[in-house]
Amino acid sequence: MALQQIAFEVAAADLEPVEALLEGFGALAVTSQSEDGSVLLEPGVGEHPLWERVRVTALLPEQTDPEPIRRQIDATLGDRVTGWQVEELEDRAWEREWLEHFRPMRFGQRLWVVPSEMEPPLPEDAVAVRVDPGLAFGTGTHETTALCLEWLDQESLAGQYGVDYGAGSGLLAVAAVRLGARGCMAVDNDPQAVRATQENAERNGVAGAVAAHPAADHPPCCADFLVANILSATLVALADELLALVREGGRIALSGILDGQQERVMAAFQGRVVWDPVAHRGDWVRISGTCTA
């Protein structure tokens, strides 16, 4: 499939309306990066953006006319937009190229994430989760996803029911069931993520045990465990909702948190979690613990 790519720079504070505008024009993927290539994180309320300006890149279907998009962005942001570029990407097998760089990855003792078309030799006790490239976030390559996968691998999930909140590709929900959970509810506010979760559950033979729901319309739950890999500001805002989904004595793991942000996230749970030691991977952390109420 041939694609068009547009790129431009905006103030970090303008990123949210820009992303919404691009999605409205049918963007297939949107990424935001600082000048050094780091992925942009959404600041919390009252916090300063991590960078003053960011470069936004969007992939669009071949037939999309980029000029209306540029006019709309210019009309919205004026001279706060700079460095506009349009590039037509040659027709290539994008998924194949992704697979060339994606190799089986091990998380913890048993859990492996493997490209769906690959049959690598794995240990006898390996639990494999097969994924394909897609637009929804989550193949295990990011530190926060890895931290969550490692947590799932070390937990005793046999016969338990869980929640994957902010599921993205549904990788964590699928992995939980593959590791022995009797079921897992996957929740996300992006319809594309809900579809991706369903597809990955089917690919791994666990469709009957993974229920994907939009965040605005998920059923009540009293789960044995919950994992949420979303940004720290969102975790703070959702603390009460997340706690309401887990039974007393249930386990909870939260990531998407930069080192240094964990105290603020912990405080939002108002003493209702007995926390484990913080786990680190690169600049990221995972906090986990046992719910007390």
Side-chain angles (χ1 to χ4, degrees):
M1 175 177 64
L3 299 172
Q4 287 196 77
Q5 177 177 283
I6 61 173
F8 50 90
E9 292 185 6
V10 297
D14 292 325
L15 183 58
E16 186 174 345
V18 166
E19 288 181 334
L21 187 151
L22 290 170
E23 291 174 3
F25 274 97
L28 302 174
V30 180
T31 59
S32 307
Q33 296 180 312
S34 68
E35 290 182 356
D36 65 2
S38 302
V39 178
L40 176 69
L41 299 177
E42 178 184 358
V45 177
E47 295 180 356
H48 296 292
L50 296 179
W51 299 284
E52 291 186 2
R53 294 189 66 77
V54 295
R55 186 149 189 85
V56 178
T57 302
L59 291 178
L60 302 162
E62 180 183 18
Q63 68 275 15
T64 304
D65 181 359
E67 282 306 308
I69 301 176
R70 180 172 187 171
R71 288 196 296 269
Q72 184 63 51
I73 291 176
D74 285 344
T76 303
L77 302 180
D79 59 8
R80 298 200 300 276
V81 181
T82 60
W84 180 274
Q85 293 180 334
V86 179
E87 180 183 0
E88 184 172 334
L89 303 180
E90 61 181 288
D91 192 1
R92 304 203 308 246
W94 298 101
E95 295 189 1
R96 291 290 181 186
E97 293 199 2
W98 180 88
L99 288 170
E100 288 179 5
H101 300 284
F102 180 35
R103 294 291 180 264
M105 295 174 288
R106 183 177 183 175
F107 302 94
Q109 296 300 312
R110 299 174 295 154
L111 184 60
W112 289 77
V113 175
V114 181
S116 63
E117 296 185 7
M118 189 177 290
E119 294 292 342
L122 297 177
E124 288 186 7
D125 64 345
V127 175
V129 177
R130 299 190 174 277
V131 297
D132 276 334
L135 297 180
F137 174 80
T139 59
T141 57
H142 194 273
E143 288 93 337
T144 59
T145 311
L147 285 164
C148 292
L149 290 168
E150 290 168 351
W151 183 82
L152 290 171
D153 180 77
Q154 72 187 22
E155 291 291 303
S156 299
L157 301 182
Q160 297 198 342
Y161 190 84
V163 175
D164 175 7
Y165 203 105
S169 67
L171 175 62
L172 300 179
V174 171
V177 174
R178 295 283 290 130
L179 286 165
R182 63 181 173 84
C184 191
M185 179 171 69
V187 178
D188 203 287
N189 61 7
D190 185 349
Q192 182 173 268
V194 174
R195 292 193 299 272
T197 295
Q198 294 168 337
E199 292 170 0
N200 279 325
E202 292 172 2
R203 181 176 293 112
N204 285 275
V206 296
V210 174
H213 297 279
D217 188 29
H218 66 78
C221 185
C222 187
D224 301 298
F225 67 93
L226 178 145
V227 60
N229 182 22
I230 42 186
L231 298 179
S232 62
T234 306
L235 291 170
V236 169
L238 292 176
D240 289 338
E241 181 174 346
L242 297 179
L243 285 168
L245 293 171
V246 188
R247 64 171 175 82
E248 182 178 354
R251 297 281 288 162
I252 187 169
L254 312 173
S255 196
I257 305 166
L258 275 173
D259 195 6
Q261 296 177 333
Q262 58 264 40
E263 294 296 335
R264 179 169 176 259
V265 177
M266 289 176 173
F269 286 75
Q270 301 175 359
R272 290 183 283 174
V273 178
V274 177
W275 298 105
D276 305 327
V278 176
H280 296 77
R281 184 183 270 257
D283 294 330
W284 302 89
V285 301
R286 179 195 70 229
I287 58 176
S288 62
T290 302
C291 298
T292 60

